[in-house]
Amino acid sequence: MTAFAAVVDTLFADPNIGREAIYTSDGGAPVLVRIVSRQADAITDFGDARLWSETNRLDLRVAEVAHPLPGDRLEIDGDAFLIQGEPVRDRERLVWTVDLRPA
């Protein structure tokens, strides 16, 4: 295990940063995973206007979810979400960042 992988595992395991969620791929069985929420605001330029919007983004460990796809489901604290758009992996190939929308 690399030093980066050890740090990622520590961050996801921290109860102040990571949380549990249930991940279900399309047609697959539910799996308990750890997530790190990134619910940051996004500012998008559209012509001369700047649009502000809330986002619902989170990180998943590649070790737990090998290949998330749009339409896969995450249940977090009883709320259901679907992955929208293509997930993006970090440079070290340890973490997926996914955008969510309510199911």
Side-chain angles (χ1 to χ4, degrees), residues 2-3 9 13 16 20 39 44 50 52 56 60-61 67 79 82 87 93 102:
T2 68
D9 287 345
N16 298 305
E20 289 187 341
Q39 297 176 350
T44 307
R50 292 183 62 148
W52 170 83
N56 201 359
L60 298 164
R61 286 187 291 183
H67 192 66
D79 294 324
L82 296 175
R93 304 278 196 219

Side-chain angles (χ1 to χ4, degrees), residues 4-87:
F4 288 115
V7 169
V8 167
D9 287 345
T10 301
L11 288 172
F12 274 81
D14 186 313
N16 298 305
I17 299 172
R19 299 178 6 194
E20 289 187 341
I22 300 170
Y23 171 80
T24 308
S25 63
D26 189 25
V31 178
L32 188 63
V33 297
R34 295 286 295 176
I35 63 167
V36 172
S37 182
R38 292 177 162 252
Q39 297 176 350
D41 296 339
I43 298 175
T44 307
D45 292 326
F46 185 74
D48 291 334
R50 292 183 62 148
L51 305 173
W52 170 83
S53 61
E54 294 180 10
T55 64
N56 201 359
R57 204 174 277 153
L58 59 83
D59 291 339
L60 298 164
R61 286 187 291 183
V62 172
E64 292 183 325
V65 180
H67 192 66
L69 295 170
D72 289 354
R73 179 184 171 99
L74 279 153
E75 187 175 323
I76 307 163
D77 297 330
D79 294 324
F81 299 92
L82 296 175
I83 294 175
Q84 66 179 1
E86 287 297 320

Side-chain angles (χ1 to χ4, degrees), residues 87-99:
V88 178
R89 274 192 294 189
D90 71 322
R91 184 174 149 162
E92 300 296 323
R93 304 278 196 219
L94 299 172
V95 176
W96 289 106
T97 299
V98 297
D99 287 315

